[in-house]
């Protein structure tokens, strides 16, 4: 029998100590786990959160041990590096803030009371990932710690934090039909201490196997297997292994098969199963990354409500508990390591060890289908030979450790499509932010169409897209960069349509389901946060775009949602009332009177004249929703971000004469016309001079150049709004309006 003793209480946290002796004596703060020291300062902006070495200490009573028993300390996560001391002696070091690790303390435990101390460090260095990324690097013992006592002969405890049991299901579908499937289940075990035999039970069948050199394998045939079939039927089996010593390990597994087709996308158990979902960062408001089970559970409930069938668990290994929830709820998961933004010449070993831990610790989860090698890794230093080699090694490692899953990576938009790095993983994905940071929404469509046309035999996915939204900000004329809830909704409406037309995108993941802490950010009215979430960081407020996805994805729970519930004061005489619903028909009531019934799908738009205060009500079947709107004389400035440097509205609609050029044309169209090209040539020259390094990287990068050509001049000007005056923009538009566009050739 093995025994696990939770060590989550009675810790003393010491923020500053020079060494273990000092850490053992100075007064600290009594805390219990999970704990991070950045719960507050990691979320308030300014990038000044405490990054350094802190200490955790606690008394540890030596357990009563039988002969030969071994004792391990097990840490579920210590961010980012940890040194473990017992009675003043350093026993181990672990580098990587998101994976489980163990320390064998058997020989070092004294009878009676022992002093356990752990120094945990989240300061920067040159070799442990992540070092540069758009999220807060919380420090702390932010997951659970326990003491595990195993018999002398036991399942391996020393191999990359794994459990010593690995289950590989191989599913065969009869005539491609998932109603009649068979599975071969291979259960492998690793044991230490001289094990000779193991009893393995899988799906209620039991077998004995001989253990040779600490390794054994048992195979089982399941005819008419109950498949793990995604969100519809995530059926789980159990496998259990037992040694004569009484040591037992148990794991759940699921039987499923999957593949990716460059033309048809993802297949689960023989049928097309388009992966449409969201990304999740683990942290939340007030607690940082120190999450309780209830918090994980709440996140999963929100994921179920939105109706996603896939999750990208970014940008690092998440809690075991959360992968378990994914298994239980049928989510298809992309799992990854924090090899992100900046490739470090000294970091290769760390990428490999973090990947090895990720795969070994998570191999048995049926939810996981792929291993993510890196994220936007070429963003800071481009593609170097060392980076390529690092990716080849990671890719080979994943295949060696796991022949059943594919590898992928999330590419930054400016990575050229023909870069050799794209040839390394089995499938690729791009993070694109056209329509938010840069460019126009339609450029997302064009980008993927070009990729797909150029590489019809390669699988491509959409690993990130999103727009920041502070729910306080509202607009009747939403625009890129305004941080309104209204623009975020419009952004996602476009992207959802573009995705629907491209079933070959093997997976798409919204960035992000939840707002998350990025302490370096100071923007959008909530410093320290990335607000691309569909739900706020405290999980309390679902933004309108959340319900848009729910309308597309949730087929179980009929609902109707009225957008703009925080947009009460409206200056327009006739306002747009927008509903999201997963039902084919909705009805609008104004002040208790039925106004209009509309048929359609997902998004329903109505025009409603307003004069005073109105109760607007939406109905479908028995579902109802209502909001209040009020006719206002003046714009409510609480709805506008940063007033001065927020949205740039230079024009009225009638400043644009059809048939003539204007700033609303794309750079490509303008540049291809001699006169218009000359007019904007001057402007781009002076902008390049002022933004030298940006201009240089645009020149050097064909993808960036192409991206610029697809942007409207107006979009470009907004990007450099600190450098142009409204008068200059108006003058430029007036000049362009004098130039007739060439006739379209039919
Ligand atoms: C990205 C990164 C992600 C950022 C996101 C953003 O491409 O992969 O970590 O948070 O962009 O919001 O800028």
């Amino acid at each position: 029998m093995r025994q696990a003793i939770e060590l989550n209480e009675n810790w003393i946290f010491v923020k500053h100590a020079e060494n273990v002796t000092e850490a053992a004596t100075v007064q600290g703060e009594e805390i219990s786990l999970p704990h991070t020291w950045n719960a507050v300062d990691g979320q308030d902006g300014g990038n000044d959160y405490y990054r350094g070495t802190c200490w955790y200490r606690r008394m540890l009573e030596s357990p009563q041990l039988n002969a030969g028993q071994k004792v391990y300390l097990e840490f579920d996560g210590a961010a980012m590096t940890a040194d473990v001391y017992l009675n003043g002696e350093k026993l181990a070091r672990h580098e990587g803030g998101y994976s489980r690790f163990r320390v064998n303390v058997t020989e070092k435990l004294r009878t009676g009371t022992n002093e356990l101390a752990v120094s945990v460090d989240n300061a920067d260095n040159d070799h442990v990932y992540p070092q540069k990324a758009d999220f807060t690097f919380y420090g702390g013992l932010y997951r659970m710690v326990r003491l595990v006592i195993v018999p002398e002969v036991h399942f391996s405890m020393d191999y990359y934090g794994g459990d010593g049991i690995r289950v590989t299901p191989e599913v065969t579908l009869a005539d491609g039909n998932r109603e009649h499937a068979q599975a071969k289940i291979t259960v492998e075990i690793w044991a230490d201490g001289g094990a000779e035999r193991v009893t393995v039970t899988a799906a209620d069948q039991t077998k004995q196997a001989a253990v040779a050199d600490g390794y054994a394998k048992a195979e089982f045939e399941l005819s008419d297997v109950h498949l793990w079939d995604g969100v519809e039927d995530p059926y789980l089996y159990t496998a259990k292994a037992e040694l004569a010593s009484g040591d037992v390990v148990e794991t759940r597994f699921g039987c499923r098969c999957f593949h990716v087709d460059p033309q048809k996308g993802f297949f689960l158990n023989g049928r097309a199963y388009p992966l449409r979902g969201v990304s999740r960062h683990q942290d939340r408001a007030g607690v940082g990354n120190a999450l309780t089970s209830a918090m994980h559970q709440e996140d999963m409930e929100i994921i179920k409500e939105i109706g996603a069938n896939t999750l990208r668990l970014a940008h690092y290994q998440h809690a075991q508990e959360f992968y378990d929830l994914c298994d239980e709820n049928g989510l298809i998961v992309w799992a990854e390591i924090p090899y992100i933004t900046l490739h470090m010449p000294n970091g290769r070993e760390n990428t490999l060890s973090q990947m090895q831990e990720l795969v070994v610790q998570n191999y048995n989860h049926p939810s996981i289908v792929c291993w993510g090698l890196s994220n936007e890794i070429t963003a800071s230093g481009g593609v170097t030979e060392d980076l390529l080699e690092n990716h080849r090694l990671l890719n080979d490692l994943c295949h060696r450790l796991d022949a059943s899953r594919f590898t992928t990576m999330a590419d930054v938009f400016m990575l050229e499509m023909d870069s050799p790095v794209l040839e390394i993983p089995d499938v690729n994905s791009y993070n694109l932010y056209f329509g938010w940071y840069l460019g126009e929404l339609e450029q997302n469509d064009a980008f993927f169409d070009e990729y797909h046309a150029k590489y019809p035999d390669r699988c491509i996915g959409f690993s990130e897209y999103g727009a920041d939204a502070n729910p306080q900000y509202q607009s009747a004329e939403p625009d890129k960069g305004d941080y309104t809830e209204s623009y975020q909704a419009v952004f996602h409406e476009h992207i959802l349509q573009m995705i629907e037309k491209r079933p070959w995108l093997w997976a798409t993941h919204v960035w992000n389901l939840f707002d998350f802490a990025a302490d370096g950010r100071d923007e959008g009215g909530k410093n320290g946060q990335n607000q691309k979430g569909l739900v706020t960081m405290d999980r309390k407020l679902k933004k309108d775009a959340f319900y848009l996805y729910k309308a597309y994805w949730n087929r179980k729970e009929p609902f109707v949602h009225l957008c703009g519930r925080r947009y009460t004061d409206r200056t327009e005489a006739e306002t747009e009332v927008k509903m999201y619903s997963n039902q084919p028909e909705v009805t609008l009531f104004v002040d208790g009177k039925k106004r209009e019934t509309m048929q359609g799908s997902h998004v329903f738009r109505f025009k409603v004249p307003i004069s005073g205060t109105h109760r607007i009500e939406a109905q479908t079947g028995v579902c109802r929703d209502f909001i209040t709107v009020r006719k206002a004389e003046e714009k409510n400035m609480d709805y506008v971000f940063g007033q001065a440097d927020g949205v740039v509205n230079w024009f009225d609609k009638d400043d644009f004469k059809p048939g003539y050029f204007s700033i609303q044309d794309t750079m490509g169209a303008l540049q291809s016309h001699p006169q218009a090209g000359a007019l904007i040539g001057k402007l781009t020259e002076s902008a390049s001079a002022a933004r030298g390094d940006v201009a240089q990287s645009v020149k050097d990068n064909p993808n960036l150049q192409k991206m610029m050509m697809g942007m409207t001049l107006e979009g470009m000007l907004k990007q450099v709004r600190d450098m142009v005056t409204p008068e200059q923009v108006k003058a430029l538009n007036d000049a362009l309006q004098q130039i007739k566009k060439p006739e379209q050739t039919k």
Side-chain angles (χ1 to χ4, degrees), residues 582-615:
N582 52 4
Q583 298 303 298
E585 188 179 282
V586 295
T587 302
L588 170 74
F589 295 81
V590 178
D591 299 326
K593 286 199 207 83
K594 183 166 167 176
R595 190 180 157 88
E596 196 178 339
T597 292
M598 194 183 281
Q599 270 136 19
S601 55
H602 314 306
V603 183
F604 302 83
R605 289 190 175 82
F606 301 85
K607 287 279 175 215
V608 178
I610 51 174
S611 47
T613 300
H614 304 280
R615 180 184 162 98

Side-chain angles (χ1 to χ4, degrees), residues 13-31:
F13 171 68
V14 175
K15 194 158 181 182
H16 302 282
E18 281 302 309
N19 51 43
V20 65
T21 320
E22 193 183 329
T25 47
V26 296
Q27 197 173 358
E29 184 192 337
E30 283 179 32
I31 56 120

Side-chain angles (χ1 to χ4, degrees), residues 139-211:
L141 278 186
Y142 72 99
R143 290 185 188 148
M144 303 309 182
V145 178
R146 62 191 71 80
L147 205 62
V148 184
I149 304 159
V150 293
E152 181 166 17
V153 182
H154 56 267
F155 292 99
S156 293
M157 299 286 282
D158 299 314
Y159 189 68
Y160 291 94
D163 287 329
I165 182 166
R166 188 165 91 155
V167 185
T168 310
E170 281 170 77
V171 170
T172 321
L173 304 173
D175 306 323
N177 186 343
R178 71 197 159 105
E179 299 307 321
H180 301 288
Q182 295 176 342
K184 184 173 118 189
I185 312 295
T186 307
V187 181
E188 294 164 285
I189 65 99
W190 288 263
D192 291 324
E196 289 173 355
R197 295 199 73 72
V198 60
T199 307
V200 183
T201 305
D204 298 326
Q205 299 176 35
T206 300
K207 286 194 172 167
Q208 299 276 330
V211 182

Side-chain angles (χ1 to χ4, degrees), residues 24-213:
T25 47
V26 296
Q27 197 173 358
E29 184 192 337
E30 283 179 32
I31 56 120
S32 46
L33 305 185
H35 178 265
T36 171
W37 61 79
N38 299 121
V40 176
D41 69 359
Q43 306 189 337
D44 59 2
N47 215 6
D48 57 351
Y49 62 107
Y50 182 70
R51 292 183 65 190
T53 304
C54 297
W55 292 79
Y56 292 85
R57 68 165 199 256
R58 148 192 226 291
M59 293 305 168
L60 189 63
E61 291 303 318
S62 170
Q64 285 290 333
L65 294 182
N66 299 332
Q69 279 186 323
K70 307 281 177 230
V71 188
Y72 284 83
L73 279 166
E74 184 171 83
F75 295 84
D76 284 347
M80 298 287 180
T81 59
D83 291 300
V84 181
Y85 297 78
L86 196 65
N87 301 319
E89 183 187 350
K90 181 166 151 179
L91 300 187
R93 177 174 177 80
H94 181 259
E95 297 190 329
Y98 305 95
S99 46
R100 189 205 289 144
F101 64 98
R102 301 193 183 101
V103 185
N104 184 342
V105 293
T106 319
E107 303 300 322
K108 303 290 175 179
L109 268 179
R110 289 187 198 141
T111 319
T113 306
N114 294 260
E115 276 179 40
L116 170 64
V118 188
S119 76
V120 185
D121 180 13
N122 67 341
D124 49 12
N125 62 56
D126 67 353
H127 67 286
V128 182
Y129 287 96
Q131 287 300 328
K132 187 172 175 189
D134 177 38
F135 59 96
T136 296
F137 303 151
Y138 298 98
L141 278 186
Y142 72 99
R143 290 185 188 148
M144 303 309 182
V145 178
R146 62 191 71 80
L147 205 62
V148 184
I149 304 159
V150 293
E152 181 166 17
V153 182
H154 56 267
F155 292 99
S156 293
M157 299 286 282
D158 299 314
Y159 189 68
Y160 291 94
D163 287 329
I165 182 166
R166 188 165 91 155
V167 185
T168 310
E170 281 170 77
V171 170
T172 321
L173 304 173
D175 306 323
N177 186 343
R178 71 197 159 105
E179 299 307 321
H180 301 288
Q182 295 176 342
K184 184 173 118 189
I185 312 295
T186 307
V187 181
E188 294 164 285
I189 65 99
W190 288 263
D192 291 324
E196 289 173 355
R197 295 199 73 72
V198 60
T199 307
V200 183
T201 305
D204 298 326
Q205 299 176 35
T206 300
K207 286 194 172 167
Q208 299 276 330
V211 182
D213 291 333

